[in-house]
């Protein structure tokens, strides 16, 4: 995934209006006085003196509809403490429109397209808002930052202006309120059976070449298994693995695949799926498959199958993150083999060197355009600002209620209540922070300070973070937003290009197509308008640079 680049400026509405109007926008956002006039009759329930550090509490009982991504690990419950305590603190009730996690993106698109979206649309990752901009279905939220003092404070305090700039559309505005982190957070990597490494007298691999050596040693010792059998291949083949590996090779892939990759040396974008670095990445994986070190089903099997193979000892390496390591891998593995040990290793390094690639922006919130017509609009924006962006709101969403779900130690650290577990911090506890109380819910709890983020990390995870945080951060690519006509044209090209890259990526890895045909493959991409697409991207980049600096 890319980290986001940005410009340093005072992040007030006045400054934003100046920047946009000054570059010739035909539809500049209102300035502070104009905004106050527009919103004069939309302040019902709002606070008059809402500022940084203020506990938001609506001046009358309010209810806001919200699209809700229902996670299968902690399915929604009406009696969660989260709901009642939120209402107690803010005088706001949330009315969730519940959508299964597996169908969330599709349902979100359908209801926005039909004009039926609730005002608050969370769990939207940067870039996913793009298809809804030209229709006017979602608000240019950057016009309303005057209503969000906590959000503005985080941007200033953490110098996130450049990150925010990557969200801007051709009109200079942005249409997504992102979750924001103080620092880059790397979570996904490989889980490796360290008891097998000890048995073979091997160290934890630090590079992808060393992993290759480790897998060969595992295969020599256990010839009837595939040492590496992966998950997260549906619906995107190699979703997590190609994302991790791509960063090590100086490209992008899998979940993090972007059509355009910024070539810092050439100061222009190139087409990712045709990069030589992309080819080298596929060559590496093909070697693993060819040598029977990696299960060819890794890219298409269901997660449950991959997990079962790992926990039953039919494989020794699999992609993971901190939560799945604790919740899904260790318990069944230790039950079947008490002597087994598994750790999440730092992402192996590759040709790109000792680098980390990431973003300080998280999934965030779109606001339906209809919301701005409500007399409660200002109160809703204040509520969003408090819950998602204030220190107190973020602490509440993550940890819950002090004295019930957690305590604070004299040195300011968080400690779960004795009867509450979360990510294995209190193994054996009868209650679970997410499942029984609704806190640390991915719809509400994301972003925040590094201290808050790491407050639920085990000592093991903190050591992992220490290693990856010492790596050099790859600069983020510059903004290159399309105007409406360009977006329409790009959309026509992107889908067939992405589908073809995905299809041929899998064929090259599995050996169904020989890598000696790479030049032919690149010509096939050219036949699908690859060059025209990348020219469009670079033109948009040059225009934005000229108009916005």
């Amino acid at each position: 995934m890319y980290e986001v680049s940005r410009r340093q400026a005072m992040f007030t509405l006045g400054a934003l209006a100046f920047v946009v109007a000054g570059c010739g926008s035909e539809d500049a956002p209102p300035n502070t006085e104009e905004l106050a006039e527009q919103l004069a009759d939309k302040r019902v329930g709002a606070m008059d003196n809402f500022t940084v550090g203020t506990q938001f509490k609506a001046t009358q009982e309010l209810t806001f509809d919200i699209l809700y991504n229902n996670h299968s690990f902690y399915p929604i419950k009406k009696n969660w403490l989260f709901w009642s305590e939120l209402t107690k603190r803010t005088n706001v009730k949330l009315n969730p429109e519940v959508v299964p996690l597996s169908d969330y993106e599709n349902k979100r698109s359908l209801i926005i397209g039909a004009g039926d979206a609730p005002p608050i649309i969370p769990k939207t990752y940067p870039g996913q808002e793009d298809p809804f901009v030209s229709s006017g279905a979602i608000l240019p939220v950057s016009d309303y930052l005057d209503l969000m003092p906590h959000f503005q404070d985080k941007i200033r305090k953490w110098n996130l202006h450049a990150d925010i700039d990557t969200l801007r559309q051709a009109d200079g505005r942005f249409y997504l309120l992102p979750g924001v982190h103080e620092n880059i957070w790397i979570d996904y990597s490989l889980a490796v059976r360290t008891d097998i490494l000890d048995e073979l007298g091997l160290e934890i691999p630090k590079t992808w070449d060393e992993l290759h050596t480790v897998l060969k040693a595992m295969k020599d010792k256990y010839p009837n298994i595939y040492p590496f059998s992966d998950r997260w291949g549906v619906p995107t083949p190699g979703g997590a693995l190609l994302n991790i590996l791509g960063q090590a090779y100086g490209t992008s892939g899998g979940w993090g695949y972007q059509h355009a990759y910024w070539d810092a040396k050439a100061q222009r974008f190139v087409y990712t799926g045709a990069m030589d670095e992309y080819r080298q990445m596929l060559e590496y994986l093909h070697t693993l498959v060819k040598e029977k070190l990696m299960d060819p089903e890794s890219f298409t099997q269901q997660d449950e199958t991959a997990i079962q193979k790992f926990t039953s000892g039919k494989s020794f390496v699999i992609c993971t993150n901190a939560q799945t390591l604790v919740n899904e891998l260790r318990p069944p593995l230790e039950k079947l083999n008490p002597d087994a040990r598994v750790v999440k290793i730092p992402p192996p390094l590759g040709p790109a060197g000792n680098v980390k690639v990431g973003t300080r922006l998280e999934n965030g919130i779109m606001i339906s355009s209809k919301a701005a017509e409500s007399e409660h609009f200002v109160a809703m924006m204040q509520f969003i600002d408090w819950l998602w962006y204030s220190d107190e709101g973020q602490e509440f969403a993550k940890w819950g209620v002090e004295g019930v779900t957690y305590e604070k130690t004299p040195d300011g650290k968080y400690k779960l209540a004795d009867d509450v577990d979360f990510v294995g911090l209190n193994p054996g506890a009868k209650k679970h922070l997410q499942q029984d109380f609704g806190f640390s819910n991915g719809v509400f709890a994301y972003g925040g300070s590094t201290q808050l983020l790491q407050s639920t990390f085990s000592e093991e995870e903190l050591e992992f973070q220490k290693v990856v945080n010492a790596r050099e951060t790859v600069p983020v690519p510059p903004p290159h937003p399309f105007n409406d006509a360009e977006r329409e044209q790009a959309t026509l090209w992107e889908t067939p290009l992405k589908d073809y890259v995905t299809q041929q990526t899998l064929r090259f890895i599995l050996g169904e197509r020989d890598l000696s045909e790479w030049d032919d493959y690149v010509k096939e991409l050219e036949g699908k308008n690859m060059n025209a697409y990348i020219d469009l991207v670079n033109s948009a980049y040059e225009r934005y640079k000229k108009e916005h600096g």
Side-chain angles (χ1 to χ4, degrees):
M1 293 177 62
Y2 292 134
E3 186 189 328
V4 208
S5 75
R6 349 302 165 195
R7 183 183 49 213
Q8 189 138 4
M10 284 300 291
F11 224 57
T12 63
L13 268 180
L16 181 61
F18 173 80
V19 170
V20 177
C23 66
S25 170
E26 296 179 359
D27 186 23
N31 61 35
T32 304
E33 292 182 1
E34 291 172 338
L35 183 65
E37 184 177 345
Q38 290 177 12
L39 300 178
D41 61 347
K42 296 178 172 59
R43 300 187 61 88
V44 177
M47 298 179 68
D48 290 333
N49 298 302
F50 182 63
T51 187
V52 175
T54 302
Q55 164 66 60
F56 171 77
K57 190 158 190 175
T59 59
Q60 67 180 55
E61 291 185 3
L62 298 176
T63 299
F64 298 132
D65 294 340
I66 181 172
L67 196 65
Y68 184 87
N69 186 344
N70 196 22
H71 200 292
S72 56
F73 183 69
Y74 45 94
I76 190 171
K77 295 178 182 177
K78 293 182 179 179
N79 65 347
W80 274 344
L81 178 61
F82 174 84
W83 305 119
S84 58
E85 186 67 23
L86 181 67
T87 300
K88 177 181 175 181
R89 298 190 186 196
T90 66
N91 212 16
V92 169
K93 292 181 180 179
L94 289 178
N95 178 34
E97 181 176 341
V98 181
V99 179
L101 182 152
S102 59
D103 193 39
Y104 189 75
E105 290 186 23
N106 182 54
K107 181 66 179 292
R108 182 182 61 202
S109 296
L110 289 174
I111 63 172
I112 293 175
D116 297 329
I120 305 174
I121 311 168
K123 210 64 180 177
T124 301
Y125 286 87
Q128 292 180 338
E129 78 278 17
D130 291 352
F132 313 115
V133 170
S134 61
S135 68
I138 58 175
L139 278 184
V141 288
S142 56
D143 287 7
Y144 303 96
L145 299 187
D146 246 9
L147 307 178
M148 306 189 70
H150 295 99
F151 179 80
Q152 293 188 79
D153 182 59
K154 292 291 192 293
I155 303 304
R156 285 191 293 262
K157 187 164 57 177
W158 296 340
N159 194 24
L160 285 160
H161 305 89
D163 299 76
I164 294 297
D165 276 354
T166 60
L167 299 175
R168 296 190 188 280
Q169 301 292 329
D171 61 5
R173 295 153 147 172
F174 57 91
Y175 292 71
L176 176 74
L177 289 169
V180 291
H181 287 283
E182 182 179 4
N183 294 299
I184 291 173
W185 174 33
I186 304 297
D187 188 14
Y188 286 81
S189 188
L190 302 179
V192 178
R193 284 276 301 274
T194 53
D195 56 308
I196 302 297
L197 293 182
D198 291 343
E199 177 186 343
L200 299 173
L202 298 171
E203 299 292 328
I204 289 176
K206 292 183 173 61
T207 68
W208 289 98
D209 285 344
E210 289 180 7
L211 178 69
H212 184 198
T213 300
V214 164
L215 294 174
K216 286 196 289 186
M218 289 175 169
K219 184 69 174 179
D220 289 343
K221 179 69 175 181
Y222 297 94
N224 295 324
I225 71 164
Y226 289 107
F228 191 175
S229 187
D230 207 18
R231 63 183 308 186
W232 289 320
V234 179
T236 305
L241 176 61
L242 287 169
N243 187 34
I244 299 166
L245 187 61
Q247 295 172 11
Y249 272 82
T251 185
S252 70
W255 289 340
Y257 183 82
Q258 302 284 336
H259 290 282
Y261 193 89
W262 177 245
D263 185 334
K265 291 182 179 179
Q267 289 291 292
R268 67 185 304 274
F269 287 92
V270 296
Y271 193 76
T272 303
M275 294 173 66
D276 191 56
E277 292 85 350
Y278 196 87
R279 180 193 60 77
Q280 293 173 25
M281 174 179 71
L282 303 190
E283 189 171 27
Y284 176 85
L285 289 176
H286 171 63
T287 298
L288 297 189
V289 172
K290 181 180 179 181
E291 296 178 358
K292 301 187 185 302
L293 305 178
M294 186 167 195
D295 185 353
E297 295 180 355
S298 294
F299 304 92
T300 53
Q301 66 188 349
Q302 295 294 323
D303 288 3
E304 294 78 7
T305 302
I307 292 170
Q308 192 277 331
K309 289 177 180 178
F310 184 83
T311 57
S312 64
K314 294 180 181 177
S315 70
F316 302 138
V317 179
I318 189 173
C319 277
T320 192
N321 59 28
Q323 287 203 39
T324 59
L325 175 71
V326 172
N327 294 333
E328 299 177 6
L329 299 183
R330 277 184 175 153
L333 177 63
E334 292 171 358
K335 184 176 181 180
L336 290 171
N337 184 356
D339 295 326
R341 298 189 309 281
V342 56
V343 301
K344 184 179 75 164
I345 69 172
L349 301 175
N354 189 31
V355 299
K356 61 179 177 181
V357 182
T359 176
R360 291 192 289 167
L361 302 188
E362 255 282 8
N363 68 80
I365 302 164
M366 292 186 290
I367 306 296
S368 169
S369 294
K370 291 183 178 179
E373 302 170 7
S374 169
E375 63 180 5
H376 303 131
F377 175 68
V378 173
M380 186 190 77
M381 296 301 286
Q382 291 178 346
F383 167 77
I384 290 171
D385 184 62
W386 179 83
L387 178 57
W388 275 276
Y389 298 104
S390 75
D391 292 343
E392 295 79 7
Q394 290 175 337
E395 178 185 74
F396 165 72
K398 188 177 185 72
W399 278 97
V401 179
E402 188 170 4
V404 179
T405 58
Y406 76 97
E407 301 285 354
K408 271 191 175 178
T409 62
D411 59 355
K413 294 183 178 180
Y414 298 86
K415 181 181 181 298
L416 283 169
D418 291 341
D419 61 342
V420 179
D421 185 31
F422 178 61
V423 292
L425 293 175
N426 254 351
K430 294 181 179 179
K431 299 176 183 177
H432 193 277
L433 188 65
Q434 294 170 308
Q435 296 171 343
D436 297 301
F437 296 97
F439 298 108
S440 283
N441 183 327
V443 175
F444 306 106
Y446 47 79
S449 68
T450 298
Q451 181 183 7
L452 183 66
L453 170 69
Q454 296 186 353
S455 64
T456 56
F457 287 1
S458 64
E459 290 299 321
E460 176 187 11
E461 180 63 18
L462 289 172
E463 286 300 315
F464 173 92
Q465 293 298 325
K466 186 182 298 184
V467 173
V468 297
N469 286 337
R471 298 177 178 179
E472 181 182 356
T473 301
V474 173
V476 297
H480 50 283
F482 293 134
N483 60 33
D484 288 349
E486 290 167 340
R487 165 52 56 197
E488 184 176 356
Q489 179 60 74
T491 300
L492 294 175
W493 290 337
E494 284 173 343
T495 298
L497 279 168
K498 178 69 176 295
D499 289 348
Y500 197 70
V501 169
T502 300
Q503 177 195 83
Q504 298 305 308
T505 291
L506 188 56
R507 292 189 67 206
F508 281 129
I509 291 171
L510 298 180
E512 295 173 359
R513 184 172 188 180
D514 197 279
L515 280 157
S516 63
E517 298 181 22
W518 182 261
D519 290 344
D520 294 334
Y521 155 74
V522 172
K523 290 179 181 178
E524 291 156 11
L525 289 176
E526 292 172 353
K528 297 182 181 296
N529 300 296
M530 176 187 75
N531 291 337
Y533 176 83
I534 214 66
D535 287 344
L536 200 66
V537 170
N538 281 307
S539 295
Y541 157 66
E542 293 291 347
R543 180 182 64 243
Y544 189 91
K545 182 174 66 170
K546 179 180 179 180
E547 294 180 350
H548 299 271

